[in-house]
Amino acid sequence: MTTSRKIHKVFKSKPVTEGAGVHLKRAFGFNEAPLFDPFLLLDDFRSDNPADYLKGFPWHPHRGIETITYVLEGNVEHGDSMGNRGVITAGSVQWMTAGSGIIHQEMPFGEASGRMGGFQLWANLPASQKMSPPRYRDITAEDIPRVVLDNGVEISIICGRIGNTAGPVRDIAIDPEYLDITIPAGTSYSHPVIKGHTAFAYIIAGKGVFGHQEESLSPGAGELSGNETLIQFSDGDTVTVTTEAEPVRFLLISGKPLNEPVAWYGPIVMNTDTELRQAFEEYQNGTFLKHMTT
């Protein structure tokens, strides 16, 4: 029997400063991360002011995680210790598996008008893959399929499946789903989510009702929720979203929990404090990079 997911908790993104002085909004991270296993944080870096983002994220290390950067407007120039260079353009995604360790930089630059917009999601790696070789999946806007349903709902599929259409990112340990969904005004949409997987929605435009008041575990749920609001769902088989006078656009993200211990400091996430200390010691003494191209 199908069970509709209830709203477990509602979050509002909060201003933070990261990198060399980038002003962004954090939907969740650090303190809330245990609720979102296998995900660690979600940052929203949309801005019309170049002063908010141009200082960027100069060279820094990562180990033990995957970073998923989805750019809506503007561009992000990147480079790394493996010699990779490139630009993540509007509508594109970079799915980076840091694995055993990589040192990289990410430098946003906006459109001619100064607009910059996108999101970065951190996903944990299982202990068995934390020291795997780093790799990239660079997905252009043209690689991301877009499905339009009979009721006008539009879905861009970064990973996951809608009917017979699958997204380009596959073979990820946490079996994730990452969808960009727009629901027209006066429309209801139900989406199946694997039972037992963590699931949340992050609203990026408009307003919608996520679930129903009588099915909610959280005060205020069932009301219209708007931009920069994150809805965390309880377990179940489906997520239902309904709009009223205006459409809503949101990211729907889910994945299989790892249920492993987390030792986390800054850009490095391991399973034990010993592993964490070792990673930072290696970074200091120059032995951090384990897999290098020739």
Side-chain angles (χ1 to χ4, degrees):
M1 185 175 179
T2 299
T3 304
S4 179
R5 286 182 178 242
K6 301 174 183 178
I7 298 172
H8 182 253
K9 201 165 184 179
V10 178
F11 298 83
K12 196 71 177 176
S13 61
K14 299 176 181 178
V16 296
T17 302
E18 292 288 359
V22 176
H23 296 274
L24 50 81
K25 297 287 187 70
R26 178 152 294 157
F28 74 90
F30 298 104
N31 293 335
E32 301 94 355
L35 298 172
F36 290 90
D37 181 21
F39 304 106
L40 298 162
L41 66 76
L42 176 64
D43 283 344
D44 177 345
F45 54 89
R46 291 176 290 168
S47 176
D48 295 334
N49 181 7
D52 284 344
Y53 58 79
L54 280 178
K55 293 180 181 179
F57 304 89
W59 297 98
H60 60 280
H62 282 294
R63 177 181 285 180
I65 65 171
E66 296 183 293
T67 63
I68 301 101
T69 306
Y70 179 27
V71 176
L72 296 185
E73 299 176 292
N75 307 271
V76 177
E77 186 174 12
H78 68 91
D80 68 36
S81 52
M82 298 172 65
N84 296 303
R85 296 286 187 277
V87 177
I88 312 169
T89 56
S92 300
V93 173
Q94 182 192 80
W95 197 295
M96 185 190 80
T97 304
S100 64
I102 198 166
I103 301 172
H104 76 156
Q105 66 173 353
E106 300 155 299
M107 306 302 289
F109 60 99
E111 300 175 333
S113 65
R115 291 179 63 86
M116 179 73 219
F119 312 92
Q120 187 168 89
L121 174 70
W122 288 16
N124 203 1
L125 282 170
S128 61
Q129 294 187 15
K130 282 192 178 293
M131 296 303 289
S132 60
R135 67 172 177 172
Y136 285 95
R137 298 168 193 245
D138 290 313
I139 302 113
T140 66
E142 292 74 23
D143 295 330
I144 299 173
R146 178 173 164 271
V147 174
V148 182
L149 305 181
D150 291 343
N151 60 359
V153 173
E154 300 178 12
I155 308 173
S156 295
I157 311 169
I158 295 167
C159 60
R161 179 180 293 274
I162 303 293
N164 295 322
T165 305
V169 180
R170 304 172 193 179
D171 304 319
I172 303 293
I174 60 171
D175 190 20
E177 187 168 59
Y178 194 138
L179 307 173
D180 182 344
I181 301 177
T182 300
I183 301 177
T187 304
S188 183
Y189 172 65
S190 292
H191 180 75
V193 178
I194 297 174
K195 194 172 180 64
H197 281 204
T198 298
F200 63 89
Y202 184 65
I203 303 169
I204 60 178
K207 291 183 179 179
V209 178
F210 289 71
H212 304 284
Q213 184 70 39
E214 65 272 15
E215 296 179 347
S216 173
L217 303 178
S218 175
E223 300 173 359
L224 282 169
S225 297
N227 187 33
E228 299 179 353
T229 302
L230 185 143
I231 310 292
Q232 183 205 22
F233 298 102
S234 64
D235 201 6
D237 302 294
T238 62
V239 167
T240 299
V241 182
T242 304
T243 55
E244 295 183 358
E246 61 182 297
V248 67
R249 183 180 180 185
F250 60 97
L251 308 178
L252 182 61
I253 297 170
S254 66
K256 180 174 62 179
L258 297 177
N259 297 313
E260 294 180 350
V262 173
W264 179 7
Y265 187 81
I268 297 174
V269 183
M270 304 303 291
N271 295 104
T272 68
D273 290 340
T274 299
E275 292 170 337
L276 191 62
R277 285 194 300 270
Q278 179 181 344
F280 279 98
E281 287 171 2
E282 290 176 352
Y283 184 61
Q284 292 297 323
N285 65 29
T287 60
F288 181 78
L289 300 175
K290 306 299 183 185
H291 298 89
M292 294 292 294
T293 56
T294 56

